[in-house]
Amino acid sequence: MIFDANSNSWRSSFEPTWAILPEEGIVTVVSGSSGFGKHASLFLEYYDNLNDEFPKTEMYDVHHAPNSTKIKIQKFDCHFMQGGNIILTTQIPKVNGQNQPIQNTNGASDAHHHSYIVNHDRMTRVKAAIQEFKRKAEETGRYTYVAPGGALGFMFSKVGQRGVNCADFVIKVLEKANVAKLGSGLFNSPYRIAS
């Protein structure tokens, strides 16, 4: 997020004309723009409590070890703090859960993103949906990694499991929180869901 001194407000790192307000946050899906988009990450820019002094930026990412179907949901707090706990800018991690470089957020041609403005209640539902997905992946083993995700992820899964990829994570979270109905296809690509 970026502080706009002219309007005395915090702005989105991805949509600089959009203000982050105590009652309204921004959810952004980020992917690469080449091929199928390589990898998708989910960013939340919001006020945790309506009376907080500063908003937060968090990145959520699906990670799986090479040659493994076990997945973890990683959370990165993206604040850059300096002296007196004042947020100067947002620090985006340099690599995602697949250890690939995170794409630029300044409109560069190698980045692709789609943002949604959500009210405070819906942001709370987004965070709850992330935790539900995390529980199903990490605690119950219901979700496992299958590269194409979508219907192919289901077909290539063991009985009682659901093969997902990073795009499936975003689709499930945004649909569960009633932010967007992105729909699942034969396979799910990061580029499509960040369009």
Side-chain angles (χ1 to χ4, degrees), residues 36-40 145-154 162-172 175 182-194:
F36 292 112
K38 297 182 184 175
H39 187 74
Y145 181 75
V146 175
L152 291 175
F154 180 77
R162 173 71 168 89
V164 297
N165 64 10
C166 56
D168 288 313
F169 164 67
V170 171
I171 290 167
K172 288 181 178 300
E175 286 185 356
L182 301 174
S184 187
L186 180 61
F187 66 94
N188 290 323
S189 73
Y191 184 82
R192 179 180 70 84
I193 62 163

Side-chain angles (χ1 to χ4, degrees), residues 128-139:
I130 291 168
Q131 291 309 310
E132 181 179 334
F133 189 99
K134 180 179 174 83
R135 183 185 63 74
K136 288 181 178 180
E138 297 176 15
E139 294 174 22

Side-chain angles (χ1 to χ4, degrees), residues 111-181:
H112 200 65
H113 74 274
H114 189 93
S115 299
Y116 305 88
I117 295 174
V118 298
N119 65 28
H120 188 74
D121 290 338
R122 191 155 291 155
M123 186 66 76
T124 301
R125 286 185 276 184
V126 168
K127 292 185 62 102
I130 291 168
Q131 291 309 310
E132 181 179 334
F133 189 99
K134 180 179 174 83
R135 183 185 63 74
K136 288 181 178 180
E138 297 176 15
E139 294 174 22
T140 69
R142 167 88 171 117
Y143 293 145
T144 60
Y145 181 75
V146 175
L152 291 175
F154 180 77
M155 290 170 30
F156 295 137
S157 299
K158 295 178 182 175
V159 174
Q161 293 181 328
R162 173 71 168 89
V164 297
N165 64 10
C166 56
D168 288 313
F169 164 67
V170 171
I171 290 167
K172 288 181 178 300
V173 166
L174 295 184
E175 286 185 356
K176 179 79 174 176
N178 203 23
V179 171
K181 300 288 185 203

Side-chain angles (χ1 to χ4, degrees), residues 13-184:
S13 297
F14 304 96
E15 303 291 344
T17 61
W18 294 8
I20 304 165
L21 305 170
E23 63 281 352
E24 252 180 14
I26 299 166
V27 175
T28 302
V29 182
V30 178
S31 81
S33 61
S34 61
F36 292 112
K38 297 182 184 175
H39 187 74
S41 300
L42 192 60
F43 286 84
L44 310 182
E45 298 173 298
Y46 70 104
Y47 283 85
D48 199 20
N49 298 298
L50 295 176
N51 58 353
D52 284 351
E53 188 175 358
F54 300 110
K56 10 166 104 173
T57 300
E58 298 168 345
M59 176 185 140
Y60 291 88
D61 203 31
V62 172
H63 174 74
H64 72 92
N67 303 317
S68 172
T69 61
K70 187 171 175 67
I71 59 176
K72 285 183 63 174
I73 304 303
Q74 295 180 313
K75 174 189 170 195
F76 298 93
D77 292 313
C78 304
H79 297 314
F80 179 72
M81 310 287 271
Q82 184 172 1
N85 292 329
I86 296 174
I87 303 170
L88 297 178
T89 187
T90 299
Q91 182 65 46
I92 305 297
K94 298 207 181 313
V95 295
N96 62 31
Q98 303 305 95
N99 210 25
Q100 299 167 335
I102 298 282
Q103 309 303 325
N104 293 331
T105 60
N106 61 3
S109 62
D110 64 344
H112 200 65
H113 74 274
H114 189 93
S115 299
Y116 305 88
I117 295 174
V118 298
N119 65 28
H120 188 74
D121 290 338
R122 191 155 291 155
M123 186 66 76
T124 301
R125 286 185 276 184
V126 168
K127 292 185 62 102
I130 291 168
Q131 291 309 310
E132 181 179 334
F133 189 99
K134 180 179 174 83
R135 183 185 63 74
K136 288 181 178 180
E138 297 176 15
E139 294 174 22
T140 69
R142 167 88 171 117
Y143 293 145
T144 60
Y145 181 75
V146 175
L152 291 175
F154 180 77
M155 290 170 30
F156 295 137
S157 299
K158 295 178 182 175
V159 174
Q161 293 181 328
R162 173 71 168 89
V164 297
N165 64 10
C166 56
D168 288 313
F169 164 67
V170 171
I171 290 167
K172 288 181 178 300
V173 166
L174 295 184
E175 286 185 356
K176 179 79 174 176
N178 203 23
V179 171
K181 300 288 185 203
L182 301 174
S184 187

